[in-house]
């Protein structure tokens, strides 16, 4: 497999952090400590970019385009009925600025108490036809929410969580929303995976992993990944609060990510 895109300098990241006070020292090649003093990963030289939603939208595409970002993610849907109010703006903004970016991921926030088939159908209908360099992701955090409160029996989640996921991805497959050679993604962590009983999952071999990891010094280490995966392709290194604080031009303090390369979607060069 080829790298997702060439490694680029993260000089902007260092300048941004130093200016924002989010990091008390920048050591290229060694990572840094965030403002709470916890060691964070080394992200120097890795391609990076934000992911956004209606809480933290892009407000200046030109500024983002000149920031050095090469990746962009945006929330599309949640549960069985909710469409993010900024999704069309983010999708169309990415496409208008696609020469600046190498990858976009549109994601759905999964609710475990909702019908997974209906969730997949809402997601696919909202996103529409994928363009080159785009893929889809299920944000699976092993929870269910009503007004921000988890409300699903943990024993039910452990017994049926993997069934919910399998049904969701099977429906995406049957809808034909992913072009040939483009793999979907899943955003999850070892903690989230443990919540559904740490199951084996054959389908994981064809799904790229997007993982949150805010305080580990080595972003390539497989430690604490959910058990079906041995590596990740996208790593979220801050949620705008935890991890490295990064004031992204055009976005502000938002979720930020690095890309490891080697995503299976690069089997199709137009979509890699």
């Amino acid at each position: 497999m080829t790298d997702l895109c060439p490694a680029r300098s993260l000089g902007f990241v260092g300048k941004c952090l130093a200016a924002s006070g989010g990091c008390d020292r920048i050591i290229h090649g060694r990572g840094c400590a965030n403002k709470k003093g916890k060691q964070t990963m080394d992200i120097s030289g890795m391609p990076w970019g934000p992911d956004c939603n209606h809480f933290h939208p892009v407000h200046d595409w030109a500024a983002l385009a000149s920031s050095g970002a090469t990746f962009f993610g945006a929330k599309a849907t949640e549960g069985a009925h909710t469409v993010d109010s900024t999704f069309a703006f983010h999708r169309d903004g990415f496409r208008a600025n696609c020469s600046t970016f190498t990858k976009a991921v549109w994601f759905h926030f999964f609710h475990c108490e909702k019908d997974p088939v209906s969730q997949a159908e809402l997601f696919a209908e909202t996103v529409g036809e994928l363009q080159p360099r785009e893929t889809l992701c299920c944000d699976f955090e092993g929870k269910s929410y009503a007004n921000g409160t988890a409300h699903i029996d943990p024993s039910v989640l452990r017994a049926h969580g993997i069934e919910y996921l399998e049904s969701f991805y099977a429906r995406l497959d049957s809808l034909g929303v992913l072009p040939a050679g483009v793999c979907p993604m899943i955003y999850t962590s070892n903690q989230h995976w443990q919540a559904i009983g740490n199951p084996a999952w054959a389908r994981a071999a064809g799904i790229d992993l997007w993982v949150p990891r805010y305080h580990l010094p080595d972003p390539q280490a497989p430690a604490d990944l959910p058990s079906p995966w041995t590596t990740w392709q996208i790593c979220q290194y801050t949620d705008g609060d935890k991890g490295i604080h990064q004031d992204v031009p055009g976005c502000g303090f938002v979720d930020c990510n690095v890309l490891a390369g080697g995503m299976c979607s690069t089997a199709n060069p137009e979509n890699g």
Side-chain angles (χ1 to χ4, degrees), residues 2 4 94 98 101-104 129-135 179-182 264-272:
T2 58
L4 181 65
F94 167 79
C98 64
F101 303 91
T102 60
K103 196 72 178 179
E129 183 178 357
L130 291 178
Q131 301 298 310
R133 299 179 302 278
E134 300 176 5
T135 193
V182 177
C264 56
S265 56
T266 57
N268 181 347
E270 285 192 356
N271 292 282

Side-chain angles (χ1 to χ4, degrees), residues 12 19 28 39 51 67 73 87 91 114 120-121 146 151 160 163 166 181 185 209 214 216 218 232 245 259:
F12 155 72
H28 289 288
Q39 180 68 20
D51 65 90
S67 70
F87 173 66
R91 178 196 59 200
K114 303 293 185 181
E121 291 171 349
H151 69 107
H160 301 289
E163 297 174 23
E166 181 64 26
M185 300 196 73
L209 178 64
Y214 302 145
L216 294 184
D218 183 358
W232 53 265
H245 288 52
L259 284 66

Side-chain angles (χ1 to χ4, degrees), residues 20-245:
S20 69
C23 189
D24 61 9
R25 61 192 178 96
I26 301 294
I27 305 176
H28 289 288
R30 294 175 181 265
C32 66
N34 70 7
K35 70 180 184 180
K36 296 180 181 179
K38 293 184 177 180
Q39 180 68 20
T40 58
M41 64 176 60
D42 172 15
I43 58 172
S44 58
M46 299 183 73
W48 68 280
D51 65 90
C52 297
N53 55 41
H54 65 285
F55 290 113
H56 301 105
V58 175
H59 56 78
D60 187 337
W61 280 103
L64 179 60
S66 63
S67 70
T70 59
F71 162 81
F72 183 70
K75 180 181 177 182
T77 50
E78 178 173 343
H81 304 291
T82 302
V83 175
D84 189 284
S85 60
T86 59
F87 173 66
F89 166 76
H90 284 139
R91 178 196 59 200
D92 297 345
F94 167 79
R95 291 173 178 174
N97 293 274
C98 64
S99 62
T100 307
F101 303 91
T102 60
K103 196 72 178 179
V105 180
W106 315 132
F107 63 89
H108 169 80
F109 190 90
F110 193 88
H111 278 220
C112 291
E113 89 287 5
K114 303 293 185 181
D115 175 34
V117 171
S118 296
Q119 293 187 69
E121 291 171 349
L122 172 68
F123 186 29
E125 180 181 4
T126 299
V127 171
E129 183 178 357
L130 291 178
Q131 301 298 310
R133 299 179 302 278
E134 300 176 5
T135 193
L136 302 178
C137 177
C138 177
D139 181 345
F140 185 81
E141 303 188 18
K143 297 178 181 178
S144 179
Y145 292 92
N147 298 321
T149 303
H151 69 107
I152 191 167
D153 188 320
S155 64
V156 173
L157 186 59
R158 289 179 69 86
H160 301 289
I162 194 64
E163 297 174 23
Y164 303 155
L165 272 177
E166 181 64 26
S167 295
F168 178 87
Y169 283 94
R171 184 56 178 146
L172 286 183
D173 281 351
S174 68
L175 291 169
V177 294
L178 288 160
V182 177
C183 290
M185 300 196 73
I186 186 170
Y187 175 98
T188 196
S189 69
N190 183 49
Q191 181 181 8
H192 301 146
W193 206 252
Q194 293 292 333
I196 60 170
N198 193 32
W201 192 28
R203 187 182 290 272
I207 297 178
D208 287 327
L209 178 64
W210 182 355
V211 65
R213 181 175 288 171
Y214 302 145
H215 300 306
L216 294 184
D218 183 358
Q220 303 294 346
D224 297 323
L225 293 182
S227 59
W229 292 270
T230 58
T231 189
W232 53 265
Q233 287 72 40
I234 300 179
C235 178
Q236 186 181 84
Y237 60 84
T238 181
D239 64 0
D241 179 29
K242 296 185 292 292
I244 299 172
H245 288 52

